[in-house]
Amino acid sequence: MSIFYIDSVAAVKPAQLAGFFVGWPNPPSAATHLKILQNSDEVILALDSSTGQVVGFMNALSDGVLMAYLPLLEVLPEYQDRGIGTELIRRMLSRLEKLYAVDVVCDEDLVGFYERFNFKSGRGMMLRDYHNQSGKK
Ligand SMILES: CC(C)(COP(=O)(O)OP(=O)(O)OC[C@H]1O[C@@H](n2cnc3c(N)ncnc32)[C@H](O)[C@@H]1OP(=O)(O)O)[C@@H](O)C(=O)NCCC(=O)NCCS
């Protein structure tokens, strides 16, 4: 299996984005997923060269001066545990290396994963409206 990485969605079609948002009760469609990526300040995508499918992605929202937030990181289940998530984060942090703060919100079981990249735990506050989870409005 050969994986390659890109940092633009200019040539990506919705059909290449199948299978993401595993476990989300109200997931965005592939077309909405593409819009999310197009509207992001930074994206890194992992593609399987044998299928042309996107198998992992990460995005960042940033003011470009001090701060960035990392909203989404996902590797398709059948491609996990092969270092793809690590490479997505490594490439994203490299793109954001001039910033003061890079923040992510994650579940407890991901704390150890992010600590590998020097993230420190802190208290965060969140608002969620699950009616809007698919982004369809
Ligand atoms: C988290 C995720 C992106 C990691 O991607 P991946 O390609 O499997 O990651 P890697 O192969 O680079 O794994 C790196 C290491 O992290 C570990 N790891 C993966 N998920 C972990 C978790 N939830 N908690 C702790 N460690 C984890 C792996 O076991 C691996 O360890 P190893 O190097 O000792 O073998 C992937 O599991 C995923 O998409 N999960 C579902 C979506 C999700 O939770 N996204 C994060 C939102 S904040």
Side-chain angles (χ1 to χ4, degrees):
M1 178 187 301
S2 175
I3 303 295
F4 66 99
Y5 296 85
I6 59 176
D7 57 17
S8 164
V9 284
V12 173
K13 306 282 181 247
Q16 290 173 268
L17 287 165
F20 287 102
F21 302 101
V22 173
W24 285 42
N26 186 19
S29 66
T32 301
H33 187 181
L34 182 56
K35 189 173 174 187
I36 290 166
L37 298 175
Q38 287 167 336
N39 288 355
S40 297
D41 295 296
E42 301 283 353
V43 294
I44 310 286
L45 281 70
L47 287 89
D48 184 333
S49 59
S50 64
T51 65
Q53 288 297 112
V54 176
V55 300
F57 76 96
M58 181 167 205
N59 66 336
L61 308 180
S62 176
D63 59 24
V65 181
L66 287 185
M67 317 280 291
Y69 174 60
L70 306 177
L72 294 167
L73 163 67
E74 187 173 357
V75 175
L76 292 179
E78 58 270 40
Y79 288 85
Q80 289 177 10
D81 293 324
R82 300 165 194 236
I84 296 172
T86 297
E87 186 62 15
L88 290 169
I89 295 184
R90 195 189 68 73
R91 287 173 182 248
M92 182 60 81
L93 293 181
S94 169
R95 296 188 71 88
L96 302 173
E97 67 183 356
K98 293 196 165 47
L99 299 181
Y100 161 65
V102 179
D103 294 348
V104 64
V105 171
C106 71
D107 290 340
E108 187 65 33
D109 66 335
L110 264 297
V111 167
F113 180 73
Y114 284 106
E115 281 178 344
R116 293 173 173 222
F117 306 95
N118 278 332
F119 284 81
K120 310 280 184 255
S121 289
R123 185 172 295 279
M125 304 295 284
M126 304 183 294
L127 273 181
R128 298 286 185 270
D129 183 342
Y130 286 92
H131 294 105
N132 294 337
Q133 193 181 47
S134 67
K136 279 182 193 151
K137 272 191 194 165

mmCIF file with all atom_site columns, all heavy atoms in Angstrom, residues 89-106:
data_model
loop_
_atom_site.group_PDB
_atom_site.id
_atom_site.type_symbol
_atom_site.label_atom_id
_atom_site.label_alt_id
_atom_site.label_comp_id
_atom_site.label_asym_id
_atom_site.label_entity_id
_atom_site.label_seq_id
_atom_site.pdbx_PDB_ins_code
_atom_site.Cartn_x
_atom_site.Cartn_y
_atom_site.Cartn_z
_atom_site.occupancy
_atom_site.B_iso_or_equiv
_atom_site.pdbx_formal_charge
_atom_site.auth_seq_id
_atom_site.auth_comp_id
_atom_site.auth_asym_id
_atom_site.auth_atom_id
_atom_site.pdbx_PDB_model_num
ATOM 1   N N   . ILE A 1 89  ? -0.363  14.749 11.575 1.00 0.00 ? 89  ILE A N   1
ATOM 2   C CA  . ILE A 1 89  ? -0.073  15.728 12.628 1.00 0.00 ? 89  ILE A CA  1
ATOM 3   C C   . ILE A 1 89  ? 1.315   16.330 12.431 1.00 0.00 ? 89  ILE A C   1
ATOM 4   O O   . ILE A 1 89  ? 1.502   17.547 12.556 1.00 0.00 ? 89  ILE A O   1
ATOM 5   C CB  . ILE A 1 89  ? -0.173  15.086 14.025 1.00 0.00 ? 89  ILE A CB  1
ATOM 6   C CG1 . ILE A 1 89  ? -1.602  14.642 14.300 1.00 0.00 ? 89  ILE A CG1 1
ATOM 7   C CG2 . ILE A 1 89  ? 0.305   16.066 15.092 1.00 0.00 ? 89  ILE A CG2 1
ATOM 8   C CD1 . ILE A 1 89  ? -1.831  14.092 15.683 1.00 0.00 ? 89  ILE A CD1 1
ATOM 9   N N   . ARG A 1 90  ? 2.286   15.497 12.115 1.00 0.00 ? 90  ARG A N   1
ATOM 10  C CA  . ARG A 1 90  ? 3.650   15.993 11.920 1.00 0.00 ? 90  ARG A CA  1
ATOM 11  C C   . ARG A 1 90  ? 3.686   17.071 10.830 1.00 0.00 ? 90  ARG A C   1
ATOM 12  O O   . ARG A 1 90  ? 4.265   18.143 10.998 1.00 0.00 ? 90  ARG A O   1
ATOM 13  C CB  . ARG A 1 90  ? 4.564   14.823 11.542 1.00 0.00 ? 90  ARG A CB  1
ATOM 14  C CG  . ARG A 1 90  ? 6.041   15.108 11.666 1.00 0.00 ? 90  ARG A CG  1
ATOM 15  C CD  . ARG A 1 90  ? 6.881   14.000 11.075 1.00 0.00 ? 90  ARG A CD  1
ATOM 16  N NE  . ARG A 1 90  ? 6.740   13.925 9.621  1.00 0.00 ? 90  ARG A NE  1
ATOM 17  C CZ  . ARG A 1 90  ? 7.262   14.792 8.768  1.00 0.00 ? 90  ARG A CZ  1
ATOM 18  N NH1 . ARG A 1 90  ? 7.979   15.815 9.210  1.00 0.00 ? 90  ARG A NH1 1
ATOM 19  N NH2 . ARG A 1 90  ? 7.080   14.652 7.459  1.00 0.00 ? 90  ARG A NH2 1
ATOM 20  N N   . ARG A 1 91  ? 3.010   16.800 9.721  1.00 0.00 ? 91  ARG A N   1
ATOM 21  C CA  . ARG A 1 91  ? 2.994   17.764 8.613  1.00 0.00 ? 91  ARG A CA  1
ATOM 22  C C   . ARG A 1 91  ? 2.201   19.027 8.979  1.00 0.00 ? 91  ARG A C   1
ATOM 23  O O   . ARG A 1 91  ? 2.586   20.137 8.609  1.00 0.00 ? 91  ARG A O   1
ATOM 24  C CB  . ARG A 1 91  ? 2.394   17.118 7.356  1.00 0.00 ? 91  ARG A CB  1
ATOM 25  C CG  . ARG A 1 91  ? 3.344   16.123 6.714  1.00 0.00 ? 91  ARG A CG  1
ATOM 26  C CD  . ARG A 1 91  ? 2.679   15.376 5.569  1.00 0.00 ? 91  ARG A CD  1
ATOM 27  N NE  . ARG A 1 91  ? 3.598   14.398 5.014  1.00 0.00 ? 91  ARG A NE  1
ATOM 28  C CZ  . ARG A 1 91  ? 4.132   14.465 3.792  1.00 0.00 ? 91  ARG A CZ  1
ATOM 29  N NH1 . ARG A 1 91  ? 3.815   15.454 2.983  1.00 0.00 ? 91  ARG A NH1 1
ATOM 30  N NH2 . ARG A 1 91  ? 4.973   13.542 3.367  1.00 0.00 ? 91  ARG A NH2 1
ATOM 31  N N   . MET A 1 92  ? 1.084   18.844 9.698  1.00 0.00 ? 92  MET A N   1
ATOM 32  C CA  . MET A 1 92  ? 0.289   20.007 10.085 1.00 0.00 ? 92  MET A CA  1
ATOM 33  C C   . MET A 1 92  ? 1.076   20.897 11.054 1.00 0.00 ? 92  MET A C   1
ATOM 34  O O   . MET A 1 92  ? 1.116   22.129 10.903 1.00 0.00 ? 92  MET A O   1
ATOM 35  C CB  . MET A 1 92  ? -1.032  19.559 10.724 1.00 0.00 ? 92  MET A CB  1
ATOM 36  C CG  . MET A 1 92  ? -1.940  20.702 11.117 1.00 0.00 ? 92  MET A CG  1
ATOM 37  S SD  . MET A 1 92  ? -2.417  21.756 9.728  1.00 0.00 ? 92  MET A SD  1
ATOM 38  C CE  . MET A 1 92  ? -3.746  20.787 9.001  1.00 0.00 ? 92  MET A CE  1
ATOM 39  N N   . LEU A 1 93  ? 1.719   20.290 12.063 1.00 0.00 ? 93  LEU A N   1
ATOM 40  C CA  . LEU A 1 93  ? 2.479   21.087 13.034 1.00 0.00 ? 93  LEU A CA  1
ATOM 41  C C   . LEU A 1 93  ? 3.645   21.802 12.359 1.00 0.00 ? 93  LEU A C   1
ATOM 42  O O   . LEU A 1 93  ? 4.014   22.912 12.750 1.00 0.00 ? 93  LEU A O   1
ATOM 43  C CB  . LEU A 1 93  ? 2.954   20.206 14.195 1.00 0.00 ? 93  LEU A CB  1
ATOM 44  C CG  . LEU A 1 93  ? 1.839   19.659 15.091 1.00 0.00 ? 93  LEU A CG  1
ATOM 45  C CD1 . LEU A 1 93  ? 2.433   18.814 16.212 1.00 0.00 ? 93  LEU A CD1 1
ATOM 46  C CD2 . LEU A 1 93  ? 0.982   20.786 15.667 1.00 0.00 ? 93  LEU A CD2 1
ATOM 47  N N   . SER A 1 94  ? 4.193   21.198 11.351 1.00 0.00 ? 94  SER A N   1
ATOM 48  C CA  . SER A 1 94  ? 5.259   21.856 10.602 1.00 0.00 ? 94  SER A CA  1
ATOM 49  C C   . SER A 1 94  ? 4.726   23.112 9.910  1.00 0.00 ? 94  SER A C   1
ATOM 50  O O   . SER A 1 94  ? 5.364   24.172 9.907  1.00 0.00 ? 94  SER A O   1
ATOM 51  C CB  . SER A 1 94  ? 5.846   20.867 9.592  1.00 0.00 ? 94  SER A CB  1
ATOM 52  O OG  . SER A 1 94  ? 6.694   21.534 8.709  1.00 0.00 ? 94  SER A OG  1
ATOM 53  N N   . ARG A 1 95  ? 3.518   23.031 9.358  1.00 0.00 ? 95  ARG A N   1
ATOM 54  C CA  . ARG A 1 95  ? 2.919   24.196 8.688  1.00 0.00 ? 95  ARG A CA  1
ATOM 55  C C   . ARG A 1 95  ? 2.560   25.297 9.685  1.00 0.00 ? 95  ARG A C   1
ATOM 56  O O   . ARG A 1 95  ? 2.476   26.469 9.311  1.00 0.00 ? 95  ARG A O   1
ATOM 57  C CB  . ARG A 1 95  ? 1.677   23.789 7.901  1.00 0.00 ? 95  ARG A CB  1
ATOM 58  C CG  . ARG A 1 95  ? 1.987   22.840 6.768  1.00 0.00 ? 95  ARG A CG  1
ATOM 59  C CD  . ARG A 1 95  ? 0.780   22.606 5.903  1.00 0.00 ? 95  ARG A CD  1
ATOM 60  N NE  . ARG A 1 95  ? 0.462   23.785 5.113  1.00 0.00 ? 95  ARG A NE  1
ATOM 61  C CZ  . ARG A 1 95  ? 0.978   24.056 3.915  1.00 0.00 ? 95  ARG A CZ  1
ATOM 62  N NH1 . ARG A 1 95  ? 1.853   23.236 3.377  1.00 0.00 ? 95  ARG A NH1 1
ATOM 63  N NH2 . ARG A 1 95  ? 0.629   25.140 3.267  1.00 0.00 ? 95  ARG A NH2 1
ATOM 64  N N   . LEU A 1 96  ? 2.321   24.912 10.948 1.00 0.00 ? 96  LEU A N   1
ATOM 65  C CA  . LEU A 1 96  ? 1.876   25.877 11.961 1.00 0.00 ? 96  LEU A CA  1
ATOM 66  C C   . LEU A 1 96  ? 3.011   26.286 12.912 1.00 0.00 ? 96  LEU A C   1
ATOM 67  O O   . LEU A 1 96  ? 2.758   26.924 13.938 1.00 0.00 ? 96  LEU A O   1
ATOM 68  C CB  . LEU A 1 96  ? 0.723   25.267 12.778 1.00 0.00 ? 96  LEU A CB  1
ATOM 69  C CG  . LEU A 1 96  ? -0.511  24.841 11.975 1.00 0.00 ? 96  LEU A CG  1
ATOM 70  C CD1 . LEU A 1 96  ? -1.500  24.104 12.880 1.00 0.00 ? 96  LEU A CD1 1
ATOM 71  C CD2 . LEU A 1 96  ? -1.177  26.029 11.290 1.00 0.00 ? 96  LEU A CD2 1
ATOM 72  N N   . GLU A 1 97  ? 4.242   25.944 12.581 1.00 0.00 ? 97  GLU A N   1
ATOM 73  C CA  . GLU A 1 97  ? 5.327   26.051 13.562 1.00 0.00 ? 97  GLU A CA  1
ATOM 74  C C   . GLU A 1 97  ? 5.632   27.476 14.003 1.00 0.00 ? 97  GLU A C   1
ATOM 75  O O   . GLU A 1 97  ? 6.239   27.679 15.049 1.00 0.00 ? 97  GLU A O   1
ATOM 76  C CB  . GLU A 1 97  ? 6.604   25.371 13.040 1.00 0.00 ? 97  GLU A CB  1
ATOM 77  C CG  . GLU A 1 97  ? 7.221   26.072 11.851 1.00 0.00 ? 97  GLU A CG  1
ATOM 78  C CD  . GLU A 1 97  ? 8.433   25.328 11.326 1.00 0.00 ? 97  GLU A CD  1
ATOM 79  O OE1 . GLU A 1 97  ? 8.821   24.316 11.930 1.00 0.00 ? 97  GLU A OE1 1
ATOM 80  O OE2 . GLU A 1 97  ? 8.978   25.764 10.299 1.00 0.00 ? 97  GLU A OE2 1
ATOM 81  N N   . LYS A 1 98  ? 5.203   28.488 13.252 1.00 0.00 ? 98  LYS A N   1
ATOM 82  C CA  . LYS A 1 98  ? 5.494   29.873 13.639 1.00 0.00 ? 98  LYS A CA  1
ATOM 83  C C   . LYS A 1 98  ? 4.467   30.436 14.623 1.00 0.00 ? 98  LYS A C   1
ATOM 84  O O   . LYS A 1 98  ? 4.616   31.560 15.103 1.00 0.00 ? 98  LYS A O   1
ATOM 85  C CB  . LYS A 1 98  ? 5.555   30.767 12.411 1.00 0.00 ? 98  LYS A CB  1
ATOM 86  C CG  . LYS A 1 98  ? 6.737   30.440 11.496 1.00 0.00 ? 98  LYS A CG  1
ATOM 87  C CD  . LYS A 1 98  ? 7.024   31.555 10.511 1.00 0.00 ? 98  LYS A CD  1
ATOM 88  C CE  . LYS A 1 98  ? 8.374   31.421 9.854  1.00 0.00 ? 98  LYS A CE  1
ATOM 89  N NZ  . LYS A 1 98  ? 8.680   30.099 9.343  1.00 0.00 ? 98  LYS A NZ  1
ATOM 90  N N   . LEU A 1 99  ? 3.417   29.700 14.920 1.00 0.00 ? 99  LEU A N   1
ATOM 91  C CA  . LEU A 1 99  ? 2.348   30.203 15.776 1.00 0.00 ? 99  LEU A CA  1
ATOM 92  C C   . LEU A 1 99  ? 2.659   30.015 17.254 1.00 0.00 ? 99  LEU A C   1
ATOM 93  O O   . LEU A 1 99  ? 3.437   29.142 17.647 1.00 0.00 ? 99  LEU A O   1
ATOM 94  C CB  . LEU A 1 99  ? 1.029   29.501 15.441 1.00 0.00 ? 99  LEU A CB  1
ATOM 95  C CG  . LEU A 1 99  ? 0.534   29.696 14.003 1.00 0.00 ? 99  LEU A CG  1
ATOM 96  C CD1 . LEU A 1 99  ? -0.784  28.981 13.806 1.00 0.00 ? 99  LEU A CD1 1
ATOM 97  C CD2 . LEU A 1 99  ? 0.432   31.162 13.638 1.00 0.00 ? 99  LEU A CD2 1
ATOM 98  N N   . TYR A 1 100 ? 1.978   30.813 18.063 1.00 0.00 ? 100 TYR A N   1
ATOM 99  C CA  . TYR A 1 100 ? 2.118   30.741 19.512 1.00 0.00 ? 100 TYR A CA  1
ATOM 100 C C   . TYR A 1 100 ? 1.328   29.573 20.092 1.00 0.00 ? 100 TYR A C   1
ATOM 101 O O   . TYR A 1 100 ? 1.806   28.844 20.968 1.00 0.00 ? 100 TYR A O   1
ATOM 102 C CB  . TYR A 1 100 ? 1.619   32.063 20.120 1.00 0.00 ? 100 TYR A CB  1
ATOM 103 C CG  . TYR A 1 100 ? 1.277   32.005 21.577 1.00 0.00 ? 100 TYR A CG  1
ATOM 104 C CD1 . TYR A 1 100 ? 2.268   31.767 22.532 1.00 0.00 ? 100 TYR A CD1 1
ATOM 105 C CD2 . TYR A 1 100 ? -0.037  32.169 22.012 1.00 0.00 ? 100 TYR A CD2 1
ATOM 106 C CE1 . TYR A 1 100 ? 1.946   31.701 23.876 1.00 0.00 ? 100 TYR A CE1 1
ATOM 107 C CE2 . TYR A 1 100 ? -0.355  32.105 23.347 1.00 0.00 ? 100 TYR A CE2 1
ATOM 108 C CZ  . TYR A 1 100 ? 0.639   31.870 24.280 1.00 0.00 ? 100 TYR A CZ  1
ATOM 109 O OH  . TYR A 1 100 ? 0.324   31.800 25.602 1.00 0.00 ? 100 TYR A OH  1
ATOM 110 N N   . ALA A 1 101 ? 0.076   29.400 19.628 1.00 0.00 ? 101 ALA A N   1
ATOM 111 C CA  . ALA A 1 101 ? -0.817  28.411 20.246 1.00 0.00 ? 101 ALA A CA  1
ATOM 112 C C   . ALA A 1 101 ? -1.474  27.542 19.189 1.00 0.00 ? 101 ALA A C   1
ATOM 113 O O   . ALA A 1 101 ? -1.962  28.044 18.173 1.00 0.00 ? 101 ALA A O   1
ATOM 114 C CB  . ALA A 1 101 ? -1.900  29.142 21.046 1.00 0.00 ? 101 ALA A CB  1
ATOM 115 N N   . VAL A 1 102 ? -1.469  26.249 19.428 1.00 0.00 ? 102 VAL A N   1
ATOM 116 C CA  . VAL A 1 102 ? -2.185  25.287 18.583 1.00 0.00 ? 102 VAL A CA  1
ATOM 117 C C   . VAL A 1 102 ? -3.033  24.440 19.517 1.00 0.00 ? 102 VAL A C   1
ATOM 118 O O   . VAL A 1 102 ? -2.496  23.723 20.377 1.00 0.00 ? 102 VAL A O   1
ATOM 119 C CB  . VAL A 1 102 ? -1.200  24.402 17.782 1.00 0.00 ? 102 VAL A CB  1
ATOM 120 C CG1 . VAL A 1 102 ? -1.974  23.399 16.938 1.00 0.00 ? 102 VAL A CG1 1
ATOM 121 C CG2 . VAL A 1 102 ? -0.290  25.260 16.901 1.00 0.00 ? 102 VAL A CG2 1
ATOM 122 N N   . ASP A 1 103 ? -4.348  24.546 19.369 1.00 0.00 ? 103 ASP A N   1
ATOM 123 C CA  . ASP A 1 103 ? -5.264  23.912 20.320 1.00 0.00 ? 103 ASP A CA  1
ATOM 124 C C   . ASP A 1 103 ? -6.092  22.814 19.658 1.00 0.00 ? 103 ASP A C   1
ATOM 125 O O   . ASP A 1 103 ? -6.464  22.926 18.488 1.00 0.00 ? 103 ASP A O   1
ATOM 126 C CB  . ASP A 1 103 ? -6.226  24.952 20.908 1.00 0.00 ? 103 ASP A CB  1
ATOM 127 C CG  . ASP A 1 103 ? -5.508  25.984 21.769 1.00 0.00 ? 103 ASP A CG  1
ATOM 128 O OD1 . ASP A 1 103 ? -4.318  25.762 22.099 1.00 0.00 ? 103 ASP A OD1 1
ATOM 129 O OD2 . ASP A 1 103 ? -6.123  27.010 22.102 1.00 0.00 ? 103 ASP A OD2 1
ATOM 130 N N   . VAL A 1 104 ? -6.375  21.800 20.431 1.00 0.00 ? 104 VAL A N   1
ATOM 131 C CA  . VAL A 1 104 ? -7.246  20.712 19.977 1.00 0.00 ? 104 VAL A CA  1
ATOM 132 C C   . VAL A 1 104 ? -8.119  20.278 21.146 1.00 0.00 ? 104 VAL A C   1
ATOM 133 O O   . VAL A 1 104 ? -7.673  20.321 22.300 1.00 0.00 ? 104 VAL A O   1
ATOM 134 C CB  . VAL A 1 104 ? -6.398  19.532 19.420 1.00 0.00 ? 104 VAL A CB  1
ATOM 135 C CG1 . VAL A 1 104 ? -5.534  18.898 20.491 1.00 0.00 ? 104 VAL A CG1 1
ATOM 136 C CG2 . VAL A 1 104 ? -7.272  18.484 18.754 1.00 0.00 ? 104 VAL A CG2 1
ATOM 137 N N   . VAL A 1 105 ? -9.345  19.907 20.865 1.00 0.00 ? 105 VAL A N   1
ATOM 138 C CA  . VAL A 1 105 ? -10.230 19.321 21.876 1.00 0.00 ? 105 VAL A CA  1
ATOM 139 C C   . VAL A 1 105 ? -10.356 17.838 21.546 1.00 0.00 ? 105 VAL A C   1
ATOM 140 O O   . VAL A 1 105 ? -10.619 17.488 20.397 1.00 0.00 ? 105 VAL A O   1
ATOM 141 C CB  . VAL A 1 105 ? -11.625 19.986 21.832 1.00 0.00 ? 105 VAL A CB  1
ATOM 142 C CG1 . VAL A 1 105 ? -12.603 19.233 22.721 1.00 0.00 ? 105 VAL A CG1 1
ATOM 143 C CG2 . VAL A 1 105 ? -11.528 21.442 22.254 1.00 0.00 ? 105 VAL A CG2 1
ATOM 144 N N   . CYS A 1 106 ? -10.136 16.985 22.540 1.00 0.00 ? 106 CYS A N   1
ATOM 145 C CA  . CYS A 1 106 ? -10.208 15.548 22.245 1.00 0.00 ? 106 CYS A CA  1
ATOM 146 C C   . CYS A 1 106 ? -10.799 14.782 23.419 1.00 0.00 ? 106 CYS A C   1
ATOM 147 O O   . CYS A 1 106 ? -10.837 15.285 24.546 1.00 0.00 ? 106 CYS A O   1
ATOM 148 C CB  . CYS A 1 106 ? -8.833  14.997 21.896 1.00 0.00 ? 106 CYS A CB  1
ATOM 149 S SG  . CYS A 1 106 ? -7.688  14.891 23.285 1.00 0.00 ? 106 CYS A SG  1
#
